[in-house]
Amino acid sequence: MTDVDLELRQGESLVSAVEEQLYRQITELMIDGDQIATTAFGPATIDRDMPSFARSSLTSPQDARDWHTRNASRPSLAVYAVTVEEVVEGGRYVVDDSAAPLVEGEVRAPAHCFVDYRGMSRPERKTLRAHLWFRATARGEIPTAPTLPDGQLVA
C-alpha cells in the first residue's frame, strides 16, 4: 500500500495488516435468490462509497453480527469476510474509522472500518465488489448464530 492518495480525517487510520479479516454483515437486501449478490461487497447509496466492515483483530464475528442486528435497520443473516490483502489486490485500501468523532445521535459499530470506494468510476466499483465477492464466497460463511433477543439465553 504505497503511493496512497488519501486524506484521513480525525480518528481515521489505514489498516495495513494484510492477513486481517474484515467481517461483512449480510442482510436480506444483499441476497439474490439463494446466493449473496455481488453488490453485498460494495457500497449502497447510504454508505457514501464507504461500506461498513468490522476488523477481526478487534471483534469476533458473533459480536459484530449481534451489534449489527441490535442497531441497524435490518438484521444480519450471515457474516462473510475478506482480508485487507484482498482489498489491496483490488486496488483499494481499508480505513479504520472506529475512533472518528460521531455526530450527535449517530452510532458506529465497535471495530468499524470501511473499504474506500470514493472516487471510483462505476465500472471500477463493479470490478472491486465482484473481486471481493469471489474471495468472500470462496472462503464461505463465517460461522455465527442468529442474534438472541436481549435477555434471552438460549434459542
Side-chain angles (χ1 to χ4, degrees):
M1 290 193 329
T2 58
D3 298 329
V4 173
D5 183 20
L6 172 70
E7 186 174 324
L8 295 172
R9 297 174 293 199
Q10 180 183 354
E12 293 182 341
S13 61
L14 282 178
V15 180
S16 59
V18 293
E19 71 285 348
E20 183 166 10
Q21 289 190 337
L22 310 169
Y23 303 133
R24 182 69 167 158
Q25 304 305 313
I26 305 300
T27 68
E28 65 185 341
L29 296 178
M30 298 172 172
I31 298 174
D32 184 14
D34 62 350
Q35 69 176 1
I36 309 269
T38 60
T39 55
F41 294 92
T45 304
I46 194 169
D47 295 325
R48 299 181 331 271
D49 290 333
M50 299 175 287
S52 298
F53 289 79
R55 296 182 60 189
S56 65
S57 65
L58 301 175
T59 192
S60 71
Q62 187 66 56
D63 286 346
R65 180 177 180 173
D66 291 346
W67 189 94
H68 179 93
T69 295
R70 290 186 176 122
N71 293 279
S73 61
R74 295 191 188 329
S76 175
L77 303 177
V79 178
Y80 279 75
V82 297
T83 65
V84 172
E85 181 175 35
E86 292 161 352
V87 173
V88 173
E89 286 172 357
R92 299 308 284 181
Y93 39 86
V94 180
V95 176
D96 180 323
D97 64 345
S98 60
L102 292 170
V103 176
E104 188 174 331
E106 182 181 26
V107 295
R108 182 183 306 120
H112 189 273
C113 64
F114 62 88
V115 173
D116 195 343
Y117 279 75
R118 293 175 294 184
M120 296 179 81
S121 68
R122 182 179 170 95
E124 289 170 333
R125 284 194 305 270
K126 289 174 85 171
T127 298
L128 178 57
R129 72 180 190 220
H131 167 72
L132 297 179
W133 178 89
F134 276 112
R135 299 296 191 174
T137 56
R139 180 173 291 108
E141 183 177 349
I142 307 298
T144 57
T147 301
L148 297 174
D150 285 336
Q152 185 174 336
L153 299 176
V154 293

